[in-house]
Amino acid sequence: MVTSQQLELLAPLAGVLLALDQVPDPVFSSRLIGDGLCIDPTSQVLCAPLAGVISNLQHTGHAISITGDNGVQVLLHVGLDTVNLGGKGFTPLVETGQRVAAGQALIEFDADYIALHARSLLTLMLVVSGESFAPLVPGSDLVESGQPLLRLQLAETGAVTEDQTGAAQLSAPQRLPNPNGLHARPAAVLAQAAKGFAATIHLHTAQSSANAKSLVAIMALQTVHGDSVHLSAAGPDARQALEALSGLLASGCGEGGSAPVVESPPLVVPAEVATDVLHGVCASSGSAFGQVVQMIESTLEVAEFAADSGRERARLQQSLADASVGLQTLCDKASGTAQREIFKAHQELLEDPGLLEQAFELIEQGKSAAFAWQSATQATSQLFKGLGSRLLAERALDLEDVGQRVLKLMLGMPDNALELPDHAILIAEQLTPSQTAALDTRKVAGFATVGGGATSHVAILARALGLPAICGMSPQVLALANGTPVLLDADAGQLHLQPAPERIKQLDLQRARQHERRHRDLQQAGLAACTRDGQRIEVSANIASLAEAEEAMTLGAEGVGLLRSEFLYLERSNAPSHDEQVATYSAIARAVGAEHNLVVRTLDVGGDKPLAYVPMEHETNPFLGMRGIRLCLERPQLLREQLRAILASADMARLHIMLPMVSQLSELRMARQLLEEQAQLMGLKQLPKLGIMIEVPAAALMADLFAPEVDFFSIGTNDLTQYTLAMDRDHPRLASQADSLHPAVLRLIATTVKAAHAHGKWVGVCGALASETLAVPVLLGLGVDELSVSVPLIPAIKARVRELDFTECQALAQRVLGLESAEQVRAVLQPLQQPMTELEY
Ligand code: PEP
Ligand code: MG
């Protein structure tokens, strides 16, 4: 008999019934998406196994989700790897949002075509909302379409009737603003928020669906920046859940919409690899000399079976609670937000319904708590590693870390009790975030790992601890004997196995000098940046907040050369109001002071930094799309409102407005017209200065035509380099080549300066090149008038200018313009940096 707490699911097809374990695809057989069964079809029409709403129909027609009014959600997936068919062979008969009856036809498919062109025709029916069920038909039986197959047990509290809740509800589709999709931290934020609602909630992508309360399931969706997602919810507070969670997704789930975080590998890659040097990628900069300590994690032995499943459940629950307390201590001790968030995400994993379900299910089957937990975490981490995503593979490490933490507690093993010698350079296949956070920095001088990436949590923690670190080393490193003296040069991504004593001394000396130099530069930060032969250059700050403006002024900034106004617009669900903008710009103008320039760059967002409240089409090449001034001119109201707020905030004498991504004269003219209109409407007698960023080669090459129509130029070398060299500025494998010291970029800077000076206009550089001490003599020599640099580097850049001779810089600039490559330019500049520094000490 079927009670109100039970629901029968009908066979969606005719065919042979198989257990999920027989499906040759770990995504399904691991049951991470949900438990269920598989049918090898003999019919060609997929039918609804229950009544409900179509919560997701993939555009390729090969998969469909139905949410019942009681919150039960079932995913039907026809064939394996059928997404690759791009819709061929499938005819959907229903639409997303449509209500369907049990047994109603959903998708027609051409079995012959699919069998020939895809990996398999095996069709999955998965209960993704996690209810337990009893099979009504034995495996390997032939079933008819519409025949009852599974009896679902609905949770007492979760069982809600149609009267109480109404039908399942769907949110509007939205694009993910997160630079790296919903990886661990934003996924944790979303799962946490979803858990605050009683409704059953699912997150859908074009390819798949996940329980929105499961961090692991969200991460397994493998979303990327710009993916279209929507939510479905069923239950008493479904509407509130959809509203709150859609807002959260739009705001990036607590994460900014900046460009993906990719650490640059070393800038100079040696042409030949010496055998006594092992290479990796810099995870945390610095250098250290010390002795090798191999970190080998012993495998934990666990018994597979246990007699008393009640006791095992309790054991696992206790260890999970203890692990959570341990992680809370790490959160409380953490010195920075990034560290805190890592351990918070680990706490989330401890409560993940997906993981817990797997583990408790195994305990019910007679396995020990330790075995069940180990199997659940290992299976999921293997799955993450096998999905072909670098970011998910890195997150697998977090999962293993949490797995070990709980396991050690269950086995009564002490955590990270490692006896270390002084100056230890730790070598490991992989360090976990927990191991890294627990390192004794009095003993550990740095570390090198085979696994991990510059974006891994271990790298973030290493930077927070100030430990030099390299990851992505060759496995050869694991063969080094304990005690071997090594020199870790993280900045160069090198581990020197037989470091010459001179090299060790040199790096030691360099570190000591850098330290002293920083101290001295700071003391002299208030002095002007004037070369030895009297050439003055302005050193100002790149800022994106009031706090940075205040800090910059205490570090000797002579104004703000670039206010990235995007910070006011990102990470929110509606545009900043006029008053809010005025309050922020005015506070920054006050901090900068009436005697210094304030250069406010108008909104520079677009396909790579989308705004939740400015819907945009997905772009294949967002860096070549509706970015910067193009977007603002297409939505002039956004620009008008920003200009009005800027004009109301500062004294015109020192206010400069700068337009990003300009490539056409017409863009400058249209923006000027909008500016003049606003000034007139506000009754202003004086206009601010108006300038453009030179960050597109077209603008640099036509600088002679732009110059008469602007008050100033500021060169954005970050974008100018990416567009000149046709190398994505965030591409990890091109990072070492996308070098702003490439002679092609330097020639465009020279062209710009020449054109500007011919018309009596000043030129600044606000791209990252201006913050490189190595580049200062070249930029000075090319005639640049202002360097706008990242705040902490202001004292160092000013000090570097004071060491130089302008006439020598001019000769140097002419020389490097004739070189062939960035490597050659660096090779010329490098020696100039050292002797001058040495002279000082
Ligand atoms: C640049 O492109 O160099 C620049 C300063 O702008 P952003 O880095 O903000 O794109
Ligand atoms: Mg730019």
Side-chain angles (χ1 to χ4, degrees), residues 542 562 564 566 601 604 608-609 623 627 658 660-661 693-695 714-723 729 740 765-769 788:
N542 288 353
L562 169 62
R564 288 185 165 105
E566 302 78 79
R601 179 173 76 183
D604 183 14
D608 64 319
K609 285 187 227 163
F623 276 130
R627 240 196 102 176
M658 178 157 75
M661 283 289 297
M693 288 200 67
I694 300 284
E695 48 186 353
S714 186
I715 302 174
T717 48
N718 309 336
D719 278 313
L720 188 60
T721 305
Q722 98 163 329
Y723 295 129
R729 62 194 265 183
S740 297
V765 173
C766 61
L769 188 64
S788 189

Side-chain angles (χ1 to χ4, degrees), residues 331-345:
C331 279
D332 297 341
K333 278 198 328 206
S335 54
T337 323
Q339 289 159 278
R340 248 191 308 280
E341 281 181 5
I342 292 168
F343 295 116
K344 268 204 213 132

